[in-house]
Amino acid sequence: MRDLSLILSGGNALGAYQAGAYAVLHERGYRPAWISGASVGAVNAAIIAGNPPDRRVAQLRRFWEEASHRAADWSSPPFGVARRFHTQLSALQSRLFGSPGVFRLRFPGAFSALPGMPDDASLYDLGPLRARLEGVIDFAFLATSPTRLTVTAVDLETGGEVRFDTRRDRLRPEHLIASCGFLPDFPPVEVDGRLLCDGGMSANLPLSAVMEEVMEEAGGDRLCIAVDLFSRFSPRPRTVAQAAERQLSLLLANQTRKTIDTLQELYALRQRLRALEGKAGPGATTLLHLSHRPAPHEMPLKSFDYSGSTLAERWKAGESDMAAALDRLAAHRPPGDGLSVLEVHGVEERDERPSPECPFAKRPSSARNEAA
């Protein structure tokens, strides 16, 4: 393939899955020339593009280890029903008290709904995330990085999608924080006179940011790999919490499905127009769409579960799913010019026990103090 583009969706704490998926891409020699991301996908993308290749996986690992809510891992990870209770307790803990490595409670926040309290637009503050970003991203390197980065957000007042691109913009931490402003959990951010919120409000998996430009180029084979943190497929919900989670997954995953359908139609139309004009076809573009399927025990409030054991499990899942996806890609034969889509859905049933070599697996307190 001549060019590789990587597209990363939003999903809060689910982003550890993307980090594990990228680790396998890096290990197998895949080096993206262009990365597009929204929300936590923009954060992972900026860590990758904002570091030299030999530091990327280490910095991703550092970010997600520092993001982990270790207070929730007060005992060895349980299994079965106990494991479900553990993950729900961890997510609830983040909801009630924040997650120190990423966000904290905001005042008045939820109390703004009470009579006599001042108004507020969000529940949490992303100040801790800003500090993490400045520690794992070299923004000076990012400005001249050979890896192009596109970050998407949404103008809160107009509803229009806003794209920041290192080819024309000098990205700062506030661009990434703005892309993470999922209302009403996290606040919008003013950047260059515009009040911006989460890119997922427009396209949680920002495919168009890359594919529209790729479609205009003629000749050559291209590979686009999209790592989506929400899947169209899921077991039937059995509780109100699971139904609420499924609602969000369907809204975001079906948004992506419609975008892919539209892109395929546009590619076919572009192909016909080029043929009528006697021009060369646009070449073959393969879109490998890998979507994360969470384990059953982490369904309710899964995107707020920052426990170290769960993040380790997600990293491991990203590694194994991406390895399987690349194996399928190796056997894939695109049918000539146009857009060929290879859908790969992550494995739902997994061993719940984190492997001892996996990052963020529970370590003795002395080891944690040394790492700090």
Side-chain angles (χ1 to χ4, degrees):
M1 295 289 180
R2 191 183 71 181
D3 292 318
L4 168 62
S5 300
L6 181 63
I7 303 110
L8 304 176
S9 82
N12 207 355
L14 301 176
Y17 177 88
Q18 290 174 342
Y22 176 77
V24 169
L25 285 174
H26 188 84
E27 180 185 351
R28 296 200 182 185
Y30 288 82
R31 300 291 183 268
W34 186 2
I35 313 177
S36 172
S39 196
V40 75
V43 171
N44 283 328
I47 295 173
I48 296 167
N51 283 284
D54 61 345
R55 287 175 52 82
R56 291 173 175 177
V57 174
Q59 292 295 70
L60 282 169
R61 184 177 289 110
R62 175 186 170 189
F63 174 81
W64 284 103
E65 183 172 56
E66 292 177 349
S68 65
H69 197 336
R70 294 184 180 126
D73 283 335
W74 48 267
S75 63
S76 298
F79 307 96
V81 175
R83 181 57 189 275
R84 287 194 292 272
F85 178 77
H86 176 271
T87 57
Q88 292 174 35
L89 181 63
S90 172
L92 183 61
Q93 182 175 334
S94 295
R95 270 298 197 183
L96 293 177
F97 306 110
S99 187
V102 183
F103 59 92
R104 59 189 171 222
L105 283 179
R106 181 181 171 108
F107 184 83
F111 292 104
S112 64
L114 299 177
M117 295 297 291
D119 293 334
D120 204 346
S122 68
L123 303 178
Y124 310 103
D125 180 78
L126 288 169
L129 175 60
R130 175 185 288 270
R132 296 284 177 266
L133 295 177
E134 292 173 345
V136 296
I137 299 171
D138 184 338
F139 283 92
F141 178 86
L142 181 62
T144 58
S145 175
T147 303
R148 180 181 177 183
L149 172 64
T150 301
V151 170
T152 63
V154 171
D155 189 309
L156 186 61
E157 295 177 292
T158 68
E161 186 173 285
V162 180
R163 297 174 185 172
F164 298 103
D165 195 301
T166 51
R167 280 193 174 179
R168 61 176 183 274
D169 305 304
R170 190 176 182 91
L171 269 63
R172 307 182 298 275
E174 52 262 41
H175 293 94
L176 304 177
I177 299 294
S179 185
C180 293
F182 193 84
L183 304 172
D185 293 324
F186 306 116
V189 177
E190 186 166 337
V191 178
D192 300 331
R194 290 181 294 190
L195 192 62
L196 304 179
C197 61
D198 197 293
M201 299 290 185
S202 173
N204 194 55
L205 184 67
L207 289 165
S208 297
V210 172
M211 304 296 284
E212 289 172 359
E213 185 170 319
V214 168
M215 185 167 47
E216 295 299 318
E217 299 176 359
D221 293 342
R222 301 168 188 82
L223 171 62
C224 299
I225 298 179
V227 185
D228 198 345
L229 297 177
F230 294 92
S231 174
R232 290 185 296 132
F233 299 94
S234 170
R236 295 180 180 182
R238 299 187 303 272
T239 67
V240 171
Q242 290 176 350
E245 282 294 311
R246 186 59 184 147
Q247 177 198 48
L248 179 62
S249 295
L250 284 173
L251 288 171
L252 298 178
N254 283 334
Q255 175 194 81
T256 296
R257 182 64 258 173
K258 291 178 180 178
T259 298
I260 291 175
D261 290 343
T262 299
L263 286 169
Q264 287 182 302
E265 292 172 1
L266 289 174
Y267 261 78
L269 178 60
R270 187 74 177 172
Q271 222 173 336
R272 289 195 294 270
L273 287 175
R274 283 182 175 273
L276 290 172
E277 295 170 354
K279 296 180 180 178
T285 298
T286 298
L287 171 61
L288 172 60
H289 180 210
L290 171 63
S291 57
H292 170 47
R293 296 183 69 183
H297 62 262
E298 62 169 322
M299 286 298 289
L301 299 175
K302 61 182 181 293
S303 62
F304 276 85
D305 182 3
Y306 276 92
S307 66
S309 58
T310 297
L311 295 185
E313 183 179 87
R314 289 171 182 160
W315 181 295
K316 180 182 176 184
E319 288 180 324
S320 61
D321 287 350
M322 180 56 77
L326 292 179
D327 290 342
R328 285 190 56 184
L329 178 66
H332 179 68
R333 296 292 177 265
D337 284 355
L339 176 61
S340 172
V341 179
L342 177 59
E343 296 256 10
V344 180
H345 301 282
V347 179
E348 182 185 6
E349 298 295 336
R350 303 181 188 279
D351 179 4
E352 295 179 359
R353 186 187 303 272
S355 60
E357 72 276 5
C358 192
F360 341 119
K362 186 171 178 61
R363 297 176 293 172
S365 58
S366 59
R368 286 182 183 170
N369 292 336
E370 291 173 8

